[in-house]
């Protein structure tokens, strides 16, 4: 049954999606939404501006710009719409049944929490809980593209501790160490009817025996951030930070199959111990990145800022899957490219109580036309952001930020290992609202 060997590759590709998920906001599955203040200026000045405690996670050296002991909580609500319109055909060229999958996007809240305290005039300490990566797409079961993907969900949460040292009035240095908890859930349909029909098994034809594979994996790994802050002139701050890659090694990802009884009887006899619930181990790398940020105060009211960051998606690399069942090990290669993020922004301090801000950004996707799929129908996008901060009193400030993403329509043209095809277009939409509160002790 040579087609069963081909189907092995299909299932391994599905499982390898542990490492191939995306996000609706920053490139691929990266999340920048950790700050309502930063959201309001499209994250320009993200690691060079004072007053925002998110630098604890992103550039610990900039903690020297924070005054006193404080706690800050941020929540970003991300509305991401993913709508497909197209058709598919089975291995015999017949139209595939099923709808367009509904809205495969999601509306989700992304919280962050920060605590900062000065230890001495030169040494600062901070703690953070953030979500640097996350994404979810979920189509209706039985949709026309079910053999390409049904559900993809990833969550990554970092808990970090950071320290900074003020070398002199010009230079500050900082570092942090964080533990990252990653969880992945996946669901795909499998055309066992096409698999068995290709092996001339009587009574089976493409789409006649759909089954499913579900994967649930998790892992915890450690990474670090290094940062520096320069203040070469009055009103000028320059931040530079590097976030390390994080290597995850899930060793007990659960793999479950749902197979129609008639197909299961044949497969159990032809390949015993192959299409069975099992576990899998692998290694995947969350990408490293570095960021350059500049802020320039023009006068007592106006400040302008800019950001540039580079993410090493190519380090995503190959993924080798080792199944505990008779499914053979497999190496899969991903075609992601390294990406850049550019933003500019400004702040206007109207009075002691109110500050207003705005910004724009260009966010390049690592997903090219050649590798775009239903899990990650990603394209480059442009940001437009607005925000404000209200200083309620001496101790409490509240901020809000809003971003609209301008995302062009895109398309896919895919063929599965069982020869079914999917062609169509995607309409993507995303809006983000973030709020925060900061309290100084």
């Amino acid at each position: 049954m040579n087609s069963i060997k081909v189907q092995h590759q299909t299932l391994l590709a599905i499982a390898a999606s542990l490492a191939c998920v995306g996000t609706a906001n920053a490139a691929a599955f990266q999340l920048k939404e950790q700050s309502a203040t930063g959201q309001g200026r499209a994250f320009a000045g993200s690691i060079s501006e004072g007053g925002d405690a998110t630098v604890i996670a992103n550039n610990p050296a900039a903690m020297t710009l924070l005054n006193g002991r404080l706690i800050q909580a941020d929540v970003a609500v991300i509305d991401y719409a993913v709508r497909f319109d197209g058709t598919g055909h089975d291995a015999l060229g017949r139209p595939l049944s099923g709808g367009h999958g509904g809205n495969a996007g999601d509306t989700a809240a992304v919280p962050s929490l920060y605590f900062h305290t000065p230890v001495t005039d030169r040494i600062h300490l901070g703690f953070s809980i953030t979500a640097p990566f996350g994404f979810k797409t979920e189509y209706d079961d039985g949709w026309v593209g079910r053999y390409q993907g049904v559900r993809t969900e990833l969550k990554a949460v970092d808990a970090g501790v950071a320290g900074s040292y003020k070398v002199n009035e010009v230079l500050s240095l900082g570092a942090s160490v964080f533990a990252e908890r990653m969880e992945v859930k996946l669901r795909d349909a499998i055309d066992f009817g096409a698999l068995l029909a290709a092996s001339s098994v009587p009574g089976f034809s493409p789409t006649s025996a759909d089954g499913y594979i579900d994967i649930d994996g998790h892992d915890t790994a450690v990474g670090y951030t290094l940062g520096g802050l320069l203040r070469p002139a009055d009103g000028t701050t320059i931040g530079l930070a590097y976030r390390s890659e994080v290597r995850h090694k899930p060793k007990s990802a659960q793999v479950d199959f749902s197979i129609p009884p008639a197909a299961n009887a044949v497969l159990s006899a032809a390949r015993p111990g192959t299409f069975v619930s099992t576990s899998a181990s692998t290694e995947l790398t969350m990408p490293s990145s570095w960021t350059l940020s500049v802020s320039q105060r023009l006068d007592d009211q106006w400040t302008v800022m800019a950001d540039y960051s580079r993410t090493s998606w190519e380090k995503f690399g190959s993924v080798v899957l080792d199944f505990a069942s008779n499914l053979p090990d497999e190496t899969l290669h991903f075609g992601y490219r390294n990406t850049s993020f550019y933003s500019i922004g400004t702040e206007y301090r109207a009075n002691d109580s109110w500050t207003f801000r705005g910004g724009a950004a260009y966010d390049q996707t690592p997903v090219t036309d050649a590798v775009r799929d239903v899990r990650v129908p990603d394209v480059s996008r442009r940001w437009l952001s607005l925000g404000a901060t209200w200083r309620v009193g001496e101790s409490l400030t509240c901020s809000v930020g809003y971003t609209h993403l301008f995302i062009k329509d895109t398309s896919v043209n895919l063929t599965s290992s069982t020869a079914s095809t999917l062609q169509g277009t995607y309409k993507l939409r995303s809006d983000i609202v973030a709020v925060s509160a900061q309290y100084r002790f």
Side-chain angles (χ1 to χ4, degrees):
M1 300 178 70
N2 292 331
S3 63
I4 288 184
K5 182 177 179 181
V6 174
Q7 187 65 26
H8 285 173
Q9 298 173 350
T10 303
L11 298 176
L12 291 169
I14 292 169
S17 297
L18 277 168
C20 192
V21 292
T23 190
N25 315 296
F29 51 90
Q30 189 178 35
L31 289 175
K32 288 184 175 291
E33 290 71 20
Q34 301 170 12
S35 164
T37 301
Q39 195 76 55
R41 54 176 184 255
F43 294 98
S46 65
I47 62 170
S48 59
E49 273 298 293
D52 185 5
T54 57
V55 295
I56 295 170
N58 300 320
N59 182 15
M63 286 193 295
T64 58
L65 299 175
L66 299 175
N67 296 319
R69 185 179 301 170
L70 62 85
I71 186 169
Q72 179 178 314
D74 290 75
V75 177
V77 178
I78 303 169
D79 180 28
Y80 178 44
V82 179
R83 296 188 180 277
F84 174 81
D85 185 17
T87 60
H89 296 82
D90 66 17
L92 301 178
R94 302 174 303 182
L96 285 174
S97 63
H100 292 161
N103 179 8
D106 192 26
T107 299
V110 180
S112 303
L113 185 65
Y114 310 90
F115 174 78
H116 165 265
T117 184
V119 179
T120 69
D121 290 342
R122 292 181 178 270
I123 300 174
H124 294 243
L125 184 65
F127 301 91
S128 62
I129 300 175
T130 60
F133 300 103
F135 179 65
K136 181 180 179 181
T137 52
E138 186 169 9
Y139 301 87
D140 298 336
D141 276 353
W143 80 292
V144 68
R146 57 193 176 276
Y147 305 127
Q148 308 293 339
V150 176
R151 181 186 185 191
T152 304
E153 182 176 2
L154 178 144
K155 297 177 182 179
V157 176
D158 289 4
V161 57
S164 68
Y165 178 71
K166 184 177 180 180
V167 179
N168 51 44
E169 294 302 319
V170 176
L171 175 65
S172 297
L173 301 174
S176 71
V177 177
F178 57 86
E180 182 170 278
R181 176 70 172 181
M182 183 192 68
E183 298 181 359
V184 179
K185 295 181 180 180
L186 301 165
R187 181 173 175 84
D188 280 71
I190 303 173
D191 190 355
F192 287 109
L195 165 66
L196 296 172
S199 298
S200 301
V201 178
F204 291 94
S205 62
T207 75
S208 67
D210 280 2
Y212 286 89
I213 180 173
D214 290 277
I215 301 174
D216 191 343
H218 57 82
D219 182 60
T220 301
V222 176
Y224 64 89
T225 302
L226 302 176
L229 186 75
L230 287 172
R231 285 176 283 189
D234 186 36
T236 302
T237 55
I238 302 171
L240 181 64
Y242 171 79
R243 175 189 165 94
S244 74
E245 63 184 38
V246 181
R247 295 184 179 181
H248 287 279
K249 298 181 179 181
K251 296 185 181 299
S252 58
Q254 183 63 35
V255 182
D256 294 315
F257 289 97
S258 300
I259 308 174
N264 191 41
V266 177
L267 293 169
S268 296
R271 287 291 187 270
T274 301
F275 298 101
V276 296
S277 295
T278 185
S279 62
S281 61
T282 187
E283 179 176 331
L284 56 96
T285 301
M286 297 294 101
S288 62
S289 62
W290 64 268
T291 301
L292 175 66
S293 184
V294 180
S295 297
Q296 178 64 55
R297 189 176 71 248
L298 302 180
D299 53 36
D300 291 341
Q301 291 183 303
W302 286 97
T303 301
V304 294
M305 61 283 293
D307 254 43
Y308 172 76
S309 63
R310 185 73 172 171
T311 303
S312 298
W313 288 108
E314 288 182 354
K315 291 186 178 181
F316 206 49
S318 300
V319 175
V320 179
L321 294 167
D322 182 3
F323 290 88
S325 67
N326 290 338
L327 280 172
D329 295 351
E330 183 77 359
T331 300
L332 293 103
H333 303 279
F334 300 93
Y336 280 10
R337 61 182 176 183
N338 293 341
T339 60
S340 295
F341 177 87
Y342 311 83
S343 65
I344 57 173
T346 186
E347 286 191 348
Y348 174 71
R349 185 172 179 268
N351 50 49
D352 290 341
S353 298
W354 287 96
T355 299
F356 301 95
R357 57 185 60 90
Y362 176 76
D363 192 6
Q364 185 183 33
T365 179
V367 179
T368 62
D369 291 344
V371 301
R372 184 177 298 110
D373 59 17
V374 303
R375 296 188 183 281
V376 192
D378 198 33
V379 294
S380 298
R381 67 285 310 276
R382 291 170 173 80
W383 297 37
L384 183 61
S385 300
L386 297 171
T389 294
W390 175 34
R391 186 179 181 186
V392 183
E394 291 295 327
S395 299
L396 179 63
T397 58
C398 297
S399 298
V400 61
Y402 167 76
T403 297
H404 176 73
L405 274 62
F406 296 88
I407 310 175
K408 293 183 178 180
D409 295 349
T410 190
S411 62
V412 293
N413 188 352
L414 305 170
T415 302
S416 74
S417 294
T418 50
S420 64
T421 63
L422 183 72
Q423 305 87 27
T425 59
Y426 274 96
K427 290 185 178 295
L428 309 175
R429 177 186 56 79
S430 186
D431 291 275
I432 307 161
V433 176
V435 295
S436 74
Q438 183 186 101
Y439 184 81
R440 296 180 184 274
F441 297 91

